[in-house]
mmCIF file of all heavy atoms in Angstrom:
data_model
loop_
_atom_site.group_PDB
_atom_site.id
_atom_site.type_symbol
_atom_site.label_atom_id
_atom_site.label_comp_id
_atom_site.label_asym_id
_atom_site.label_seq_id
_atom_site.Cartn_x
_atom_site.Cartn_y
_atom_site.Cartn_z
ATOM 1 N N ALA U 1 104.014 106.380 87.223
ATOM 2 C CA ALA U 1 104.640 105.310 86.436
ATOM 3 C C ALA U 1 106.055 105.687 86.025
ATOM 4 O O ALA U 1 106.972 104.841 86.042
ATOM 5 C CB ALA U 1 103.793 105.007 85.201
ATOM 6 N N VAL U 2 106.276 106.944 85.676
ATOM 7 C CA VAL U 2 107.618 107.399 85.306
ATOM 8 C C VAL U 2 108.544 107.376 86.518
ATOM 9 O O VAL U 2 109.706 106.963 86.428
ATOM 10 C CB VAL U 2 107.556 108.805 84.677
ATOM 11 C CG1 VAL U 2 108.950 109.401 84.523
ATOM 12 C CG2 VAL U 2 106.864 108.745 83.321
ATOM 13 N N LYS U 3 108.044 107.801 87.671
ATOM 14 C CA LYS U 3 108.858 107.750 88.888
ATOM 15 C C LYS U 3 109.285 106.311 89.185
ATOM 16 O O LYS U 3 110.446 106.053 89.544
ATOM 17 C CB LYS U 3 108.070 108.329 90.071
ATOM 18 C CG LYS U 3 107.790 109.825 90.005
ATOM 19 C CD LYS U 3 106.997 110.268 91.222
ATOM 20 C CE LYS U 3 106.432 111.656 91.093
ATOM 21 N NZ LYS U 3 107.444 112.710 90.926
ATOM 22 N N ARG U 4 108.359 105.368 89.048
ATOM 23 C CA ARG U 4 108.699 103.966 89.306
ATOM 24 C C ARG U 4 109.775 103.481 88.338
ATOM 25 O O ARG U 4 110.700 102.754 88.724
ATOM 26 C CB ARG U 4 107.447 103.083 89.198
ATOM 27 C CG ARG U 4 106.524 103.194 90.399
ATOM 28 C CD ARG U 4 105.479 102.095 90.403
ATOM 29 N NE ARG U 4 104.549 102.216 89.290
ATOM 30 C CZ ARG U 4 103.419 102.922 89.343
ATOM 31 N NH1 ARG U 4 103.083 103.572 90.449
ATOM 32 N NH2 ARG U 4 102.622 102.976 88.301
ATOM 33 N N ALA U 5 109.662 103.881 87.074
ATOM 34 C CA ALA U 5 110.659 103.472 86.083
ATOM 35 C C ALA U 5 112.028 104.069 86.401
ATOM 36 O O ALA U 5 113.060 103.405 86.241
ATOM 37 C CB ALA U 5 110.208 103.898 84.691
ATOM 38 N N ALA U 6 112.058 105.316 86.851
ATOM 39 C CA ALA U 6 113.331 105.953 87.212
ATOM 40 C C ALA U 6 113.971 105.252 88.406
ATOM 41 O O ALA U 6 115.182 105.008 88.436
ATOM 42 C CB ALA U 6 113.102 107.434 87.516
ATOM 43 N N ILE U 7 113.149 104.907 89.395
ATOM 44 C CA ILE U 7 113.656 104.205 90.581
ATOM 45 C C ILE U 7 114.204 102.834 90.200
ATOM 46 O O ILE U 7 115.277 102.420 90.664
ATOM 47 C CB ILE U 7 112.541 104.098 91.638
ATOM 48 C CG1 ILE U 7 112.242 105.487 92.217
ATOM 49 C CG2 ILE U 7 112.909 103.118 92.742
ATOM 50 C CD1 ILE U 7 110.988 105.541 93.064
ATOM 51 N N ALA U 8 113.487 102.118 89.329
ATOM 52 C CA ALA U 8 113.905 100.774 88.929
ATOM 53 C C ALA U 8 115.227 100.785 88.169
ATOM 54 O O ALA U 8 115.952 99.785 88.169
ATOM 55 C CB ALA U 8 112.820 100.129 88.073
ATOM 56 N N SER U 9 115.570 101.919 87.545
ATOM 57 C CA SER U 9 116.786 102.004 86.736
ATOM 58 C C SER U 9 117.955 102.615 87.492
ATOM 59 O O SER U 9 118.985 102.905 86.883
ATOM 60 C CB SER U 9 116.509 102.822 85.472
ATOM 61 O OG SER U 9 115.615 102.134 84.618
ATOM 62 N N SER U 10 117.819 102.807 88.800
ATOM 63 C CA SER U 10 118.843 103.529 89.551
ATOM 64 C C SER U 10 119.360 102.707 90.731
ATOM 65 O O SER U 10 118.601 101.983 91.376
ATOM 66 C CB SER U 10 118.285 104.859 90.051
ATOM 67 O OG SER U 10 117.828 105.647 88.962
ATOM 68 N N ARG U 11 120.637 102.855 91.021
ATOM 69 C CA ARG U 11 121.258 102.145 92.132
ATOM 70 C C ARG U 11 120.954 102.804 93.473
ATOM 71 O O ARG U 11 120.954 102.138 94.503
ATOM 72 C CB ARG U 11 122.773 102.091 91.932
ATOM 73 C CG ARG U 11 123.196 101.329 90.676
ATOM 74 C CD ARG U 11 124.715 101.305 90.538
ATOM 75 N NE ARG U 11 125.088 100.632 89.296
ATOM 76 C CZ ARG U 11 125.235 101.254 88.132
ATOM 77 N NH1 ARG U 11 125.038 102.564 88.046
ATOM 78 N NH2 ARG U 11 125.573 100.581 87.041
ATOM 79 N N ARG U 12 120.739 104.115 93.464
ATOM 80 C CA ARG U 12 120.466 104.861 94.688
ATOM 81 C C ARG U 12 119.313 105.818 94.437
ATOM 82 O O ARG U 12 119.212 106.406 93.357
ATOM 83 C CB ARG U 12 121.718 105.645 95.109
ATOM 84 C CG ARG U 12 121.517 106.511 96.336
ATOM 85 C CD ARG U 12 122.798 107.226 96.757
ATOM 86 N NE ARG U 12 123.265 108.169 95.752
ATOM 87 C CZ ARG U 12 124.027 109.229 96.022
ATOM 88 N NH1 ARG U 12 124.422 109.461 97.270
ATOM 89 N NH2 ARG U 12 124.430 110.038 95.066
ATOM 90 N N VAL U 13 118.444 105.969 95.428
ATOM 91 C CA VAL U 13 117.268 106.834 95.281
ATOM 92 C C VAL U 13 117.273 107.881 96.387
ATOM 93 O O VAL U 13 117.254 107.557 97.578
ATOM 94 C CB VAL U 13 115.955 106.031 95.339
ATOM 95 C CG1 VAL U 13 114.760 106.963 95.124
ATOM 96 C CG2 VAL U 13 115.958 104.916 94.303
ATOM 97 N N ILE U 14 117.296 109.146 95.978
ATOM 98 C CA ILE U 14 117.183 110.275 96.896
ATOM 99 C C ILE U 14 115.832 110.942 96.648
ATOM 100 O O ILE U 14 115.561 111.380 95.529
ATOM 101 C CB ILE U 14 118.310 111.299 96.680
ATOM 102 C CG1 ILE U 14 119.680 110.652 96.899
ATOM 103 C CG2 ILE U 14 118.124 112.506 97.589
ATOM 104 C CD1 ILE U 14 120.844 111.565 96.512
ATOM 105 N N ALA U 15 114.995 110.992 97.658
ATOM 106 C CA ALA U 15 113.715 111.690 97.548
ATOM 107 C C ALA U 15 113.866 113.093 98.107
ATOM 108 O O ALA U 15 114.540 113.303 99.124
ATOM 109 C CB ALA U 15 112.621 110.943 98.292
ATOM 110 N N VAL U 16 113.247 114.056 97.440
ATOM 111 C CA VAL U 16 113.280 115.443 97.910
ATOM 112 C C VAL U 16 111.851 115.873 98.220
ATOM 113 O O VAL U 16 110.932 115.648 97.436
ATOM 114 C CB VAL U 16 113.929 116.385 96.877
ATOM 115 C CG1 VAL U 16 115.410 116.069 96.731
ATOM 116 C CG2 VAL U 16 113.246 116.301 95.516
ATOM 117 N N ALA U 17 111.665 116.489 99.386
ATOM 118 C CA ALA U 17 110.316 116.881 99.808
ATOM 119 C C ALA U 17 110.409 117.938 100.894
ATOM 120 O O ALA U 17 111.116 117.729 101.889
ATOM 121 C CB ALA U 17 109.546 115.671 100.330
ATOM 122 N N ASP U 18 109.727 119.058 100.702
ATOM 123 C CA ASP U 18 109.661 120.008 101.807
ATOM 124 C C ASP U 18 108.843 119.383 102.940
ATOM 125 O O ASP U 18 108.112 118.408 102.754
ATOM 126 C CB ASP U 18 109.056 121.339 101.346
ATOM 127 C CG ASP U 18 107.627 121.220 100.860
ATOM 128 O OD1 ASP U 18 106.729 121.077 101.717
ATOM 129 O OD2 ASP U 18 107.402 121.261 99.638
ATOM 130 N N GLY U 19 108.999 119.930 104.135
ATOM 131 C CA GLY U 19 108.430 119.306 105.319
ATOM 132 C C GLY U 19 106.940 119.078 105.259
ATOM 133 O O GLY U 19 106.431 118.095 105.819
ATOM 134 N N ALA U 20 106.196 119.954 104.573
ATOM 135 C CA ALA U 20 104.740 119.812 104.505
ATOM 136 C C ALA U 20 104.333 118.516 103.819
ATOM 137 O O ALA U 20 103.284 117.937 104.138
ATOM 138 C CB ALA U 20 104.128 121.009 103.777
ATOM 139 N N LYS U 21 105.147 118.025 102.891
ATOM 140 C CA LYS U 21 104.784 116.812 102.155
ATOM 141 C C LYS U 21 104.901 115.555 103.016
ATOM 142 O O LYS U 21 104.347 114.514 102.664
ATOM 143 C CB LYS U 21 105.653 116.688 100.908
ATOM 144 C CG LYS U 21 105.328 117.752 99.860
ATOM 145 C CD LYS U 21 106.187 117.621 98.628
ATOM 146 C CE LYS U 21 105.821 118.694 97.615
ATOM 147 N NZ LYS U 21 106.696 118.653 96.411
ATOM 148 N N LEU U 22 105.617 115.649 104.123
ATOM 149 C CA LEU U 22 105.758 114.490 104.998
ATOM 150 C C LEU U 22 104.493 114.229 105.814
ATOM 151 O O LEU U 22 104.423 113.241 106.547
ATOM 152 C CB LEU U 22 106.950 114.680 105.944
ATOM 153 C CG LEU U 22 108.305 114.930 105.279
ATOM 154 C CD1 LEU U 22 109.413 114.893 106.325
ATOM 155 C CD2 LEU U 22 108.598 113.925 104.165
ATOM 156 N N THR U 23 103.500 115.094 105.671
ATOM 157 C CA THR U 23 102.213 114.892 106.346
ATOM 158 C C THR U 23 101.096 114.639 105.337
ATOM 159 O O THR U 23 99.930 114.643 105.704
ATOM 160 C CB THR U 23 101.851 116.124 107.197
ATOM 161 O OG1 THR U 23 101.710 117.278 106.346
ATOM 162 C CG2 THR U 23 102.932 116.403 108.231
ATOM 163 N N ARG U 24 101.443 114.404 104.070
ATOM 164 C CA ARG U 24 100.437 114.229 103.014
ATOM 165 C C ARG U 24 100.545 112.866 102.358
ATOM 166 O O ARG U 24 101.592 112.233 102.361
ATOM 167 C CB ARG U 24 100.607 115.301 101.928
ATOM 168 C CG ARG U 24 100.436 116.723 102.391
ATOM 169 C CD ARG U 24 100.724 117.670 101.242
ATOM 170 N NE ARG U 24 100.779 119.048 101.673
ATOM 171 C CZ ARG U 24 101.341 120.031 100.969
ATOM 172 N NH1 ARG U 24 101.894 119.755 99.793
ATOM 173 N NH2 ARG U 24 101.354 121.260 101.443
ATOM 174 N N SER U 25 99.444 112.462 101.738
ATOM 175 C CA SER U 25 99.430 111.271 100.900
ATOM 176 C C SER U 25 98.571 111.575 99.679
ATOM 177 O O SER U 25 97.504 112.172 99.803
ATOM 178 C CB SER U 25 98.846 110.077 101.661
ATOM 179 O OG SER U 25 98.841 108.926 100.839
ATOM 180 N N ALA U 26 99.051 111.206 98.497
ATOM 181 C CA ALA U 26 98.311 111.437 97.253
ATOM 182 C C ALA U 26 97.790 110.106 96.707
ATOM 183 O O ALA U 26 98.057 109.034 97.250
ATOM 184 C CB ALA U 26 99.207 112.141 96.237
ATOM 185 N N LEU U 27 97.072 110.188 95.609
ATOM 186 C CA LEU U 27 96.339 109.028 95.077
ATOM 187 C C LEU U 27 97.247 107.897 94.606
ATOM 188 O O LEU U 27 97.011 106.725 94.899
ATOM 189 C CB LEU U 27 95.448 109.491 93.922
ATOM 190 C CG LEU U 27 94.734 108.397 93.130
ATOM 191 C CD1 LEU U 27 93.696 107.691 94.000
ATOM 192 C CD2 LEU U 27 94.082 108.986 91.876
ATOM 193 N N ALA U 28 98.280 108.232 93.844
ATOM 194 C CA ALA U 28 99.044 107.213 93.118
ATOM 195 C C ALA U 28 100.260 106.756 93.921
ATOM 196 O O ALA U 28 101.167 107.545 94.203
ATOM 197 C CB ALA U 28 99.490 107.761 91.761
ATOM 198 N N PHE U 29 100.295 105.489 94.275
ATOM 199 C CA PHE U 29 101.427 104.913 94.997
ATOM 200 C C PHE U 29 102.602 104.739 94.049
ATOM 201 O O PHE U 29 102.448 104.243 92.930
ATOM 202 C CB PHE U 29 101.032 103.569 95.596
ATOM 203 C CG PHE U 29 102.155 102.838 96.257
ATOM 204 C CD1 PHE U 29 102.623 103.225 97.502
ATOM 205 C CD2 PHE U 29 102.760 101.759 95.622
ATOM 206 C CE1 PHE U 29 103.668 102.544 98.111
ATOM 207 C CE2 PHE U 29 103.803 101.076 96.227
ATOM 208 C CZ PHE U 29 104.260 101.473 97.474
ATOM 209 N N VAL U 30 103.792 105.126 94.504
ATOM 210 C CA VAL U 30 105.002 104.993 93.693
ATOM 211 C C VAL U 30 105.905 103.896 94.246
ATOM 212 O O VAL U 30 106.249 102.944 93.554
ATOM 213 C CB VAL U 30 105.776 106.332 93.620
ATOM 214 C CG1 VAL U 30 107.088 106.156 92.850
ATOM 215 C CG2 VAL U 30 104.920 107.408 92.960
ATOM 216 N N THR U 31 106.290 104.016 95.508
ATOM 217 C CA THR U 31 107.212 103.042 96.103
ATOM 218 C C THR U 31 107.119 103.122 97.624
ATOM 219 O O THR U 31 106.782 104.182 98.170
ATOM 220 C CB THR U 31 108.665 103.329 95.649
ATOM 221 O OG1 THR U 31 109.509 102.231 95.964
ATOM 222 C CG2 THR U 31 109.219 104.586 96.282
ATOM 223 N N PRO U 32 107.393 102.026 98.318
ATOM 224 C CA PRO U 32 107.425 102.114 99.786
ATOM 225 C C PRO U 32 108.591 102.982 100.249
ATOM 226 O O PRO U 32 109.617 103.088 99.566
ATOM 227 C CB PRO U 32 107.593 100.657 100.221
ATOM 228 C CG PRO U 32 108.160 99.959 99.035
ATOM 229 C CD PRO U 32 107.641 100.660 97.829
ATOM 230 N N ALA U 33 108.433 103.579 101.417
ATOM 231 C CA ALA U 33 109.495 104.434 101.949
ATOM 232 C C ALA U 33 110.797 103.659 102.128
ATOM 233 O O ALA U 33 111.892 104.216 101.959
ATOM 234 C CB ALA U 33 109.044 105.050 103.266
ATOM 235 N N SER U 34 110.703 102.390 102.451
ATOM 236 C CA SER U 34 111.903 101.578 102.690
ATOM 237 C C SER U 34 112.767 101.412 101.439
ATOM 238 O O SER U 34 113.935 101.018 101.538
ATOM 239 C CB SER U 34 111.508 100.198 103.226
ATOM 240 O OG SER U 34 110.636 99.544 102.326
ATOM 241 N N ALA U 35 112.217 101.696 100.249
ATOM 242 C CA ALA U 35 112.995 101.608 99.010
ATOM 243 C C ALA U 35 113.869 102.837 98.794
ATOM 244 O O ALA U 35 114.713 102.847 97.894
ATOM 245 C CB ALA U 35 112.056 101.424 97.817
ATOM 246 N N LEU U 36 113.672 103.876 99.599
ATOM 247 C CA LEU U 36 114.447 105.102 99.466
ATOM 248 C C LEU U 36 115.728 104.992 100.286
ATOM 249 O O LEU U 36 115.717 104.510 101.409
ATOM 250 C CB LEU U 36 113.630 106.300 99.947
ATOM 251 C CG LEU U 36 112.245 106.471 99.317
ATOM 252 C CD1 LEU U 36 111.498 107.610 100.003
ATOM 253 C CD2 LEU U 36 112.350 106.719 97.815
ATOM 254 N N HIS U 37 116.821 105.444 99.720
ATOM 255 C CA HIS U 37 118.075 105.450 100.461
ATOM 256 C C HIS U 37 118.199 106.691 101.332
ATOM 257 O O HIS U 37 118.777 106.640 102.419
ATOM 258 C CB HIS U 37 119.258 105.371 99.491
ATOM 259 C CG HIS U 37 119.282 104.100 98.712
ATOM 260 N ND1 HIS U 37 118.624 103.958 97.503
ATOM 261 C CD2 HIS U 37 119.843 102.899 98.967
ATOM 262 C CE1 HIS U 37 118.804 102.727 97.039
ATOM 263 N NE2 HIS U 37 119.532 102.066 97.910
ATOM 264 N N CYS U 38 117.660 107.797 100.843
ATOM 265 C CA CYS U 38 117.803 109.058 101.562
ATOM 266 C C CYS U 38 116.619 109.952 101.234
ATOM 267 O O CYS U 38 116.115 109.946 100.108
ATOM 268 C CB CYS U 38 119.121 109.729 101.157
ATOM 269 S SG CYS U 38 119.435 111.309 101.962
ATOM 270 N N VAL U 39 116.174 110.722 102.216
ATOM 271 C CA VAL U 39 115.181 111.777 102.014
ATOM 272 C C VAL U 39 115.817 113.088 102.445
ATOM 273 O O VAL U 39 116.368 113.187 103.546
ATOM 274 C CB VAL U 39 113.902 111.519 102.843
ATOM 275 C CG1 VAL U 39 112.965 112.730 102.783
ATOM 276 C CG2 VAL U 39 113.181 110.272 102.352
ATOM 277 N N VAL U 40 115.767 114.078 101.568
ATOM 278 C CA VAL U 40 116.258 115.409 101.915
ATOM 279 C C VAL U 40 115.050 116.316 102.056
ATOM 280 O O VAL U 40 114.260 116.475 101.120
ATOM 281 C CB VAL U 40 117.225 115.956 100.856
ATOM 282 C CG1 VAL U 40 117.746 117.336 101.287
ATOM 283 C CG2 VAL U 40 118.394 115.001 100.645
ATOM 284 N N THR U 41 114.895 116.892 103.230
ATOM 285 C CA THR U 41 113.774 117.770 103.523
ATOM 286 C C THR U 41 114.309 119.063 104.136
ATOM 287 O O THR U 41 115.526 119.271 104.203
ATOM 288 C CB THR U 41 112.747 117.067 104.434
ATOM 289 O OG1 THR U 41 111.591 117.897 104.587
ATOM 290 C CG2 THR U 41 113.332 116.756 105.800
ATOM 291 N N ASP U 42 113.416 119.933 104.595
ATOM 292 C CA ASP U 42 113.878 121.193 105.180
ATOM 293 C C ASP U 42 113.876 121.100 106.698
ATOM 294 O O ASP U 42 113.328 120.165 107.286
ATOM 295 C CB ASP U 42 113.009 122.355 104.688
ATOM 296 C CG ASP U 42 111.570 122.222 105.111
ATOM 297 O OD1 ASP U 42 111.248 122.664 106.233
ATOM 298 O OD2 ASP U 42 110.766 121.670 104.333
ATOM 299 N N HIS U 43 114.491 122.096 107.338
ATOM 300 C CA HIS U 43 114.654 122.019 108.798
ATOM 301 C C HIS U 43 113.347 122.213 109.556
ATOM 302 O O HIS U 43 113.297 121.991 110.762
ATOM 303 C CB HIS U 43 115.705 123.014 109.291
ATOM 304 C CG HIS U 43 115.440 124.438 108.917
ATOM 305 N ND1 HIS U 43 114.337 125.153 109.339
ATOM 306 C CD2 HIS U 43 116.156 125.294 108.144
ATOM 307 C CE1 HIS U 43 114.384 126.372 108.868
ATOM 308 N NE2 HIS U 43 115.463 126.490 108.129
ATOM 309 N N ASP U 44 112.271 122.633 108.862
ATOM 310 C CA ASP U 44 110.966 122.782 109.513
ATOM 311 C C ASP U 44 110.117 121.514 109.435
ATOM 312 O O ASP U 44 108.969 121.512 109.881
ATOM 313 C CB ASP U 44 110.187 123.946 108.877
ATOM 314 C CG ASP U 44 110.839 125.288 109.152
ATOM 315 O OD1 ASP U 44 111.419 125.436 110.243
ATOM 316 O OD2 ASP U 44 110.781 126.177 108.287
ATOM 317 N N ALA U 45 110.648 120.452 108.874
ATOM 318 C CA ALA U 45 109.893 119.202 108.772
ATOM 319 C C ALA U 45 109.481 118.714 110.160
ATOM 320 O O ALA U 45 110.294 118.724 111.083
ATOM 321 C CB ALA U 45 110.728 118.136 108.072
ATOM 322 N N PRO U 46 108.227 118.289 110.327
ATOM 323 C CA PRO U 46 107.774 117.831 111.650
ATOM 324 C C PRO U 46 108.551 116.600 112.115
ATOM 325 O O PRO U 46 108.900 115.727 111.314
ATOM 326 C CB PRO U 46 106.291 117.530 111.443
ATOM 327 C CG PRO U 46 106.100 117.413 109.966
ATOM 328 C CD PRO U 46 107.146 118.259 109.332
#
């Protein structure tokens, strides 16, 4: 809920995630990927 509030109050959204997280899904939905302007991950991301 806090993540959603932060996204709603911002003009640009940068998500940060190491490569392992790009293969996971957790319980609580925050926002569709299309709402993100940029994702910064590591060079080992699949």
